[in-house]
Amino acid sequence: MENNLPSLRNFPVEALSDEDVKLLDNAARKARIDAVTMVSLAGSGHPAGSLSSMEMYLATYGVANLTPENCNDTDRDYIVVSHGHTSPGAYATLATWGFFEPLDAVANFRLCSSPFQGHVERNVPGIDWGSGNLGQGLAAGVGFALAQKARNNGGRVFVVMGDGEQTKGQVAEARRIAVKEGLSNITALIDYNHIQISGRTEDVMPVDVRSLWEADGWGVLECDGHSFAEIYAALRDAVNDDVPTVIICHTQMGKGISFMEGIPDYHGKAPSKDQYAEAMKELGGDLEYLEKAKSLRGNPMPVGRKIVPNSNNLVYGEPRQYDSETKTDNRSAFGNALADVGALNYKKEDKTPLLVFDCDLAGSVKTADFAKKCPEWFIQTGIQEHATATVAGAASVAGAVSVWADFGVFGLSEAYNQQRLNDINKTNLKLVLTHVGLDVGEDGMTHQSIDYVGLLRNTFGWKLIVPADPNQTDRATRWAIKEAGNVCLAMGRSKLPVLTDEEGKPIFGEDYTFEYGQAVKVRDGKDGAIFALGAMTGKALEAWEILREKGLNFKLFSVATPLAIDTAALREACDTGVVISVEDHHYHNGLGVSIALAMAEERLSAAFMPLGVHSYGASGKSEEVMKQMKLDAASIASQAEECCKGRA
């Protein structure tokens, strides 16, 4: 698509000329026609905010080094649309700057299977983040800025926001991270039109926007949000500042259409047929444009760009070997492997940056050694889990490998929505959860993460690994860093024995290579089969010994991937007639459910008993809490024996 717009990229002039402004004003008028036509044809959407943001959109995409040619590259400028419901404005802007033909978006807005969804998504060229919920965009921008800073490529980040989302806590968290990390390469713009869905922002939840940003250390500029000359000047000043800068753009909701201006109803309301005609009259549009778009709706359906998780070129090193005399915790094995990989790659020009995020828990989650060896790749964000989840996810799609280690109840249970959006955005995050299951012991039920398998089951892209001992943890850690896409590594806090075969050789030692979806046979037998989740393998092995003394020989499988069941192992297990799952996880949504579902899908049958957590745990030593849940070795053996009797 050709246009006669002035070149704004990288600020070629100090100030816009009158002719430049005239051309841009006309482009904004046409873009408003596109945006209103989209909403009218779809019969739903958010027109008024799209109109108030239009000049912000056009100016920001104009100055940024983000083009149809480089939008799939890593080293460039990034733009985050935080108020993603104003997608008509974003799509109209992208069409104006040549990312696709205007009618592609106008005709197919909010159409099933179209890339032009009601909220912006990454499969539209030029959209760098699917923002979804309000309040997430600034954190995504901070992640992009951290990645570009680590890559040392001069890339800048712009975040376009709404005023209603300024009250959200995640925005404040992201502001503080940006200042702490010295991200002068990020600029935010706020569409300050004073209106949100329920009315005026001052009535819904009053907030002093300028003071909030100033208090957190941001530079603050203000401008007329409908003046291209003022927005351009503010953007130029902002990118040349040595601090993160926000531009408060004073705008009018529904700008350009008289019956929408300043009216909260049109935040999310499509105009009627008569109102559309009035809007086109005021904007100088042609009523036939709507009919033309209607005739092209889904014919043909536009194809969005394909988003795939990033890969990396890190060196992963050789696994450490923990012998049978060693007793350490899985989290320490993770920390050792992470530090090994970091040291091998730190600040080497040809290597992908490996950014490790921490929320004030480095000593507990074992990232402190990495921090010492790779200080510029270690990002301390404080107790700010919601922003950190998004920051780490976004950094992983902008040229970095992201590892975030946190307690299970914080990194996933607390930040579930952020991890869901990371899944939708196809990020490349390595989420390491420690202190999962009942292994937190005395910290009690608030800290016992017994739902992490079930939460990740709700997603479609996350992989989950629950290693059984330090050797498997080391190998799983290196595999996760190498693997493209979102991977969660979950472990408890207690020291564990190195698992060995009946000859005393480490099962996950020198001859073992981690393979996602593989259940490892720890012991063989014919009277039944036990599938143990991760660290519960040790308890199950103790139970196996008790059962053998009673004359019952069970197969024992160690399962590290509860969301990817090894069907070959399951068939072998079902042939015994008795299958038992063991986990210190909610028994209604963990390993047992995965096994039951796999048995149904594979049309396998056996007497099946899922052993797991049936209630929130007490505060006490881990061993005591396990025993209370009947997950100690003696209880596991007793229940397995009863299952065998029931079959007979």
Side-chain angles (χ1 to χ4, degrees):
M1 174 186 171
E2 295 184 3
N3 62 55
N4 61 347
L5 293 176
S7 175
L8 306 181
R9 191 169 304 119
N10 297 320
F11 304 96
V13 295
E14 184 174 344
L16 296 180
S17 67
D18 290 343
E19 181 61 25
D20 290 340
V21 171
K22 183 178 179 181
L23 291 170
L24 289 166
D25 282 340
N26 190 50
R29 179 186 65 83
K30 292 180 178 178
R32 284 187 166 90
I33 291 172
D34 286 337
V36 174
T37 305
M38 283 183 218
V39 176
S40 297
L41 180 56
S44 67
H46 298 266
S50 297
L51 302 182
S52 61
S53 297
M54 196 63 75
E55 283 80 7
M56 290 168 46
Y57 275 135
L58 285 164
T60 303
Y61 274 97
V63 302
N65 180 27
L66 172 59
T67 68
E69 293 74 31
N70 74 5
C71 65
N72 294 316
D73 296 343
T74 299
D75 296 318
R76 55 172 173 84
D77 290 351
Y78 286 75
I79 294 178
V80 180
V81 177
S82 186
H83 56 331
H85 60 275
T86 62
S87 56
Y91 299 153
T93 294
L94 288 166
T96 299
W97 288 112
F99 284 79
F100 41 79
E101 291 296 324
L103 275 170
D104 285 350
V106 173
N108 298 289
F109 178 61
R110 290 192 167 214
L111 179 62
C112 186
S113 299
S114 167
F116 300 103
Q117 297 187 28
H119 287 67
V120 295
E121 300 292 349
R122 289 183 67 204
N123 56 354
V124 173
I127 298 296
D128 287 325
W129 189 256
S131 48
N133 310 51
L134 286 170
Q136 307 248 359
L138 187 64
V142 170
F144 290 152
L146 282 169
Q148 299 312 295
K149 179 182 177 182
R151 294 180 68 84
N152 195 30
N153 62 12
R156 301 168 301 195
V157 179
F158 301 90
V159 182
V160 186
M161 310 177 71
D163 52 2
E165 64 182 308
Q166 298 306 308
T167 60
K168 268 207 161 182
Q170 187 172 338
V171 176
E173 291 180 3
R175 283 198 302 261
R176 291 188 285 266
I177 296 170
V179 171
K180 176 182 177 290
E181 295 299 322
L183 300 181
S184 59
N185 60 337
I186 187 170
T187 299
L189 300 93
I190 299 174
D191 179 8
Y192 202 21
N193 59 43
H194 299 273
I195 289 177
Q196 55 192 102
I197 288 178
S198 297
R200 292 189 62 80
T201 56
E202 292 81 0
D203 297 327
V204 175
M205 181 52 66
V207 61
D208 187 338
V209 174
R210 183 182 182 106
S211 294
L212 284 177
W213 290 79
E214 287 178 332
D216 285 328
W218 282 61
V220 180
L221 302 173
E222 297 193 48
C223 71
D224 178 348
H226 297 305
S227 166
F228 279 108
E230 290 193 27
I231 299 173
Y232 179 87
L235 282 166
R236 189 171 183 273
D237 289 343
V239 300
N240 291 313
D241 279 352
D242 58 1
V243 294
T245 301
V246 62
I247 304 171
I248 299 174
C249 301
H250 295 277
T251 63
Q252 184 177 39
M253 179 69 96
K255 178 69 173 178
I257 300 177
S258 60
F259 63 84
M260 286 190 186
E261 290 181 347
I263 306 299
D265 286 355
Y266 291 98
H267 186 290
K269 177 182 176 182
S272 66
K273 182 178 180 180
D274 290 343
Q275 288 173 329
Y276 177 77
E278 177 62 25
M280 290 302 101
K281 181 178 179 181
E282 294 183 14
L283 293 172
D286 187 344
L287 289 176
E288 292 301 313
Y289 191 49
L290 178 62
E291 296 305 315
K292 183 176 181 181
K294 188 180 297 184
S295 70
L296 295 173
R297 192 163 175 78
N299 184 31
M301 181 71 76
V303 178
R305 63 176 174 177
K306 185 177 181 180
I307 302 296
V308 296
N310 293 351
S311 57
N312 64 73
N313 63 352
L314 296 173
V315 176
Y316 310 101
E318 292 298 318
R320 295 193 183 201
Q321 306 295 332
Y322 297 92
D323 61 32
S324 59
E325 302 301 316
T326 303
K327 193 170 185 180
T328 186
D329 48 7
N330 285 350
R331 55 194 172 122
S332 291
F334 150 72
N336 291 338
L338 178 67
D340 289 350
V341 176
L344 287 170
N345 296 277
Y346 185 52
K347 297 184 74 172
K348 293 186 178 179
E349 290 186 5
D350 62 331
K351 298 303 179 186
T352 305
L354 173 60
L355 301 183
V356 174
F357 295 83
D358 178 67
C359 287
D360 194 35
L361 290 170
S364 294
V365 299
K366 306 302 181 182
T367 56
D369 192 23
F370 178 93
K372 291 177 183 177
K373 293 180 177 180
C374 311
E376 292 184 27
W377 283 358
F378 182 75
I379 312 296
Q380 176 56 258
T381 61
I383 306 171
Q384 303 188 123
E385 285 82 5
H386 294 97
T388 303
T390 304
V391 169
S396 75
V397 301
V401 176
S402 295
V403 175
W404 177 31
D406 206 341
F407 286 12
V409 292
F410 307 146
L412 181 57
S413 300
E414 181 176 344
Y416 172 71
N417 179 62
Q418 286 75 11
Q419 303 300 5
R420 176 179 179 272
L421 284 181
N422 282 335
D423 188 39
I424 289 172
N425 279 287
K426 292 183 170 58
T427 61
N428 191 32
L429 177 60
K430 315 309 169 189
L431 175 64
V432 180
L433 303 178
T434 68
H435 297 66
V436 302
L438 298 175
D439 200 21
V440 184
E442 292 89 341
D443 283 343
M445 61 184 69
T446 61
H447 280 53
Q448 292 165 358
S449 178
I450 56 171
D451 55 358
Y452 63 97
V453 178
L455 288 173
L456 290 179
R457 185 190 306 283
N458 294 332
T459 67
F460 295 95
W462 275 95
K463 293 183 175 70
L464 172 60
I465 305 171
V466 189
D469 75 352
N471 278 321
Q472 191 177 38
T473 301
D474 180 291
R475 287 148 182 79
T477 298
R478 297 172 200 267
W479 181 91
I481 294 172
K482 181 178 181 180
E483 178 73 1
N486 293 314
V487 180
C488 176
L489 193 65
M491 61 198 74
R493 74 172 181 181
S494 298
K495 291 184 177 180
L496 298 170
V498 170
L499 294 173
T500 60
D501 60 21
E502 294 188 80
E503 297 177 354
K505 182 179 179 182
I507 292 172
F508 301 108
E510 294 181 2
D511 298 332
Y512 171 75
T513 300
F514 177 80
E515 181 180 336
Y516 192 79
Q518 179 190 58
V520 175
K521 189 191 296 185
V522 176
R523 295 290 188 272
D524 206 354
K526 59 181 177 57
D527 298 315
I530 299 173
F531 287 90
L533 178 62
M536 290 300 295
T537 305
K539 288 277 189 296
L541 184 54
E542 292 178 34
W544 183 90
E545 296 283 0
I546 295 172
L547 288 167
R548 185 172 65 169
E549 291 175 2
K550 293 184 176 184
L552 292 171
N553 293 305
F554 271 66
K555 297 179 185 292
L556 173 57
F557 293 94
S558 180
V559 178
T561 58
L563 298 180
I565 297 300
D566 186 335
T567 54
L570 185 59
R571 288 192 191 94
E572 181 181 338
C574 287
D575 285 343
T576 69
V578 173
V579 175
I580 296 169
S581 63
V582 179
E583 57 189 318
D584 60 336
H585 187 282
H586 194 315
Y587 82 110
H588 268 168
N589 57 28
L591 172 63
V593 170
S594 295
I595 289 176
L597 181 61
M599 288 173 65
E601 290 176 339
E602 296 294 321
R603 298 183 180 181
L604 300 172
S605 62
F608 176 54
M609 177 182 289
L611 305 182
V613 177
H614 290 250
S615 66
Y616 293 111
S619 175
K621 293 185 181 299
S622 178
E623 291 295 326
E624 296 171 353
V625 178
M626 289 282 193
K627 186 174 183 179
Q628 188 179 64
M629 290 286 178
K630 296 185 178 181
L631 291 173
D632 59 301
S635 296
I636 293 170
S638 176
Q639 291 172 93
E641 187 178 7
E642 287 299 316
C643 192
C644 287
K645 290 178 181 177
R647 179 191 57 173

